[in-house]
Amino acid sequence: MPQRFCAICGKILDEKSPHFGMCKTCYFKENPLFELATNFKLKICLDCYRYSKKEEWIKPTEEDFLLIIKEAVYNILLKSMEKNIDITFSIDLNESSLEFSSKDLITSLELIITGKSSERPMISNEQVVKVNIIYDLCDNCTNLRSGNYFTSILQIRVKNSNYFDILKSILDQINVVVDKEFIKDDRQYISKIVDQKYGLDIYLSTNELMNYIISYLKSRYHFLLKRSKKLVGRDSQRGKGIYRLKTLIKFLPIKKNDIIEIDNQKFIVEQILKNKVILKNKKNEKLVKSFDYFFNN
Ligand SMILES: [Zn+2]
Ligand SMILES: [Zn+2]
C-alpha cells in the first residue's frame, strides 16, 4: 500500500487515521466534536449564589463558589449537548486565570472544557471558555433584602391578656419551626410580626409556610381557624389573580382537666375534640359545647 500524507500538515498517515486524507490533529481542527463561544456571561446572585438560566434563578447543589461556576456552565452550556450528541464533558479550571474586582469578587475565569466521544474515546476536543461573572440579586434575595415581602398573614389570637404567656411560647415555637424551614429553603421566612391587642399578625413569605405552621400547631393545640383571601393584583404572565391569604387562629382558652363554671355549676373539661368540648359535672352529667362558646362567654 502506498504511503499517504496529510493534505494539510504533510504528516504520514496510518491505518488509524480518522480520515482518508488528513491526520487526526488536522481532522479534528477542521471537524471539531463540539464548538462553544469563547466568552460566556454568567449571572450569579451575590447573596445566595443562585445562577440565572433563561430568566430563571437556579439554586446550585454545590456550595463552593468555583464548583457552582462549573455546575452552572455545565447546566447552561453542556448538558443539552451531551443529550443530543454522543459526548461526555469534563471541566477544569485554569487556576491562573482568576480575575478579581476591587471588592475581591471573582469577575472572570477560564474553564478548560474537554469533550470525549463516548463511542470512540480517541475522538476528543478541548476548548477554553472565558466565563465573565455578573453579580446581581435573585428575586428571593431582593425580597429578603427589602424586608417587606409577604404573601400570607397568620393571625394568632388568645382570648385575653391572661394568655399572653401561652402566646409567647407559641411564637417561640413558630420561630424555631420557621428557622429550620429557612435553612432547608431560603424562600421560607417571616417578613415581620405586628402586635395586636390579643395576639400577633405574622407576615409570611409563602402560603406553603403558612400551611406548614398551621399543621404544626394543629398537632399541639386546639383552636378555631378561619381562612380568607383578598385579591391584591394580577399576574399578567399567567393571567391569574394574585391573592393575599390570611388565616385567623383563635386558641381555645381551656385545656383538658380544667375546671370551669357554667351557670354556677362546676364542670371538668373531659375531652377536646375537633370543634367541640366535652364537659362533665360532679354528677357525671355530660355537656357538649362548641369552640365558639368559649370565646363568646
Ligand atoms: Zn495533519
Ligand atoms: Zn439570591
Side-chain angles (χ1 to χ4, degrees):
M1 195 176 131
Q3 264 192 350
R4 293 186 288 124
F5 300 93
C6 172
I8 293 165
C9 71
K11 208 173 117 182
I12 297 171
L13 300 179
D14 58 22
E15 301 299 309
K16 286 180 198 152
S17 297
H19 184 267
F20 183 77
M22 271 189 249
C23 73
K24 189 181 150 191
T25 316
C26 294
Y27 178 80
F28 289 114
K29 230 179 240 169
E30 297 285 313
N31 305 282
L33 199 54
F34 65 92
E35 262 181 303
L36 297 165
T38 50
N39 276 279
F40 175 63
K41 272 186 193 157
L42 179 65
K43 203 153 92 176
I44 280 198
C45 175
L46 197 56
D47 284 3
C48 73
Y49 293 165
R50 277 185 178 83
Y51 55 87
S52 163
K53 182 186 177 187
K54 291 181 185 163
E55 306 295 305
E56 208 186 316
W57 289 97
I58 315 255
K59 192 176 182 172
T61 52
E62 298 286 354
E63 279 179 17
D64 177 83
F65 188 75
L66 291 172
L67 293 178
I68 290 170
I69 305 286
K70 283 188 187 179
E71 178 188 323
V73 167
Y74 176 77
N75 280 333
I76 298 169
L77 288 183
L78 308 177
K79 203 175 171 181
S80 60
M81 247 195 264
E82 263 188 351
K83 269 187 206 151
N84 295 334
I85 47 175
D86 157 50
I87 195 167
T88 311
F89 286 105
S90 59
I91 306 175
D92 292 298
L93 169 72
N94 174 2
E95 304 259 356
S96 62
S97 69
L98 293 178
E99 285 174 28
F100 296 88
S101 72
S102 56
K103 286 176 184 162
D104 281 340
L105 293 168
I106 297 174
T107 53
S108 76
L109 50 83
E110 281 174 16
L111 294 178
I112 303 147
I113 296 173
T114 310
K116 272 197 174 78
S117 160
S118 316
E119 279 170 15
R120 294 175 294 167
M122 52 139 345
I123 303 176
S124 69
N125 185 27
E126 187 185 286
Q127 217 192 306
V128 176
V129 172
K130 183 174 182 187
V131 181
N132 297 296
I133 299 160
I134 297 148
Y135 292 93
D136 201 343
L137 278 181
C138 73
D139 304 337
N140 189 53
C141 291
T142 307
N143 291 337
L144 264 171
R145 278 202 189 186
S146 83
N148 52 29
Y149 174 82
F150 63 94
T151 61
S152 318
I153 307 170
L154 184 64
Q155 304 179 296
I156 58 172
R157 298 290 186 271
V158 289
K159 193 176 180 186
N160 57 44
S161 55
N162 295 333
Y163 299 93
F164 279 177
D165 282 351
I166 295 170
L167 187 70
K168 174 156 191 317
S169 129
I170 290 167
L171 178 64
D172 288 345
Q173 291 171 57
I174 291 174
N175 274 323
V176 171
V177 166
V178 174
D179 284 350
K180 271 191 200 154
E181 286 307 292
F182 180 74
I183 290 169
K184 279 191 262 171
D185 177 359
D186 60 6
R187 289 166 301 181
Q188 318 292 348
Y189 57 89
I190 294 172
S191 315
K192 63 174 170 176
I193 298 174
V194 178
D195 278 336
Q196 301 294 341
K197 193 174 176 197
Y198 293 135
L200 302 160
D201 285 355
I202 304 173
Y203 289 69
L204 301 166
S205 62
T206 67
N207 188 37
E208 187 189 332
L209 182 61
M210 182 163 75
N211 289 331
Y212 187 78
I213 298 170
I214 292 168
S215 64
Y216 171 85
L217 294 174
K218 259 187 192 157
S219 64
R220 286 161 184 81
Y221 300 94
H222 297 284
F223 47 79
L224 268 179
L225 184 144
K226 210 181 118 199
R227 289 178 186 269
S228 58
K229 65 178 182 181
K230 190 174 140 194
L231 187 67
V232 290
R234 195 167 170 78
D235 182 339
S236 51
Q237 274 185 345
R238 290 185 191 144
K240 278 201 265 178
I242 300 170
Y243 289 90
R244 183 148 300 152
L245 298 145
K246 228 188 235 183
T247 305
L248 174 66
I249 285 181
K250 284 157 94 180
F251 290 93
L252 199 65
I254 51 161
K255 55 184 192 302
K256 208 180 162 184
N257 296 327
D258 275 359
I259 307 287
I260 55 166
E261 228 179 77
I262 299 170
D263 300 331
N264 296 321
Q265 225 189 112
K266 279 191 175 147
F267 288 88
I268 183 162
V269 177
E270 197 181 68
Q271 213 184 348
I272 301 173
L273 300 171
K274 215 176 165 200
N275 294 307
K276 55 193 179 188
V277 179
I278 314 233
L279 305 161
K280 257 182 190 169
N281 66 10
K282 277 181 193 159
K283 291 179 215 152
N284 237 3
E285 289 163 336
K286 228 161 119 179
L287 181 68
V288 179
K289 293 278 182 198
S290 73
F291 276 17
D292 284 314
Y293 175 85
F294 298 94
F295 294 100
N296 303 327
N297 291 278

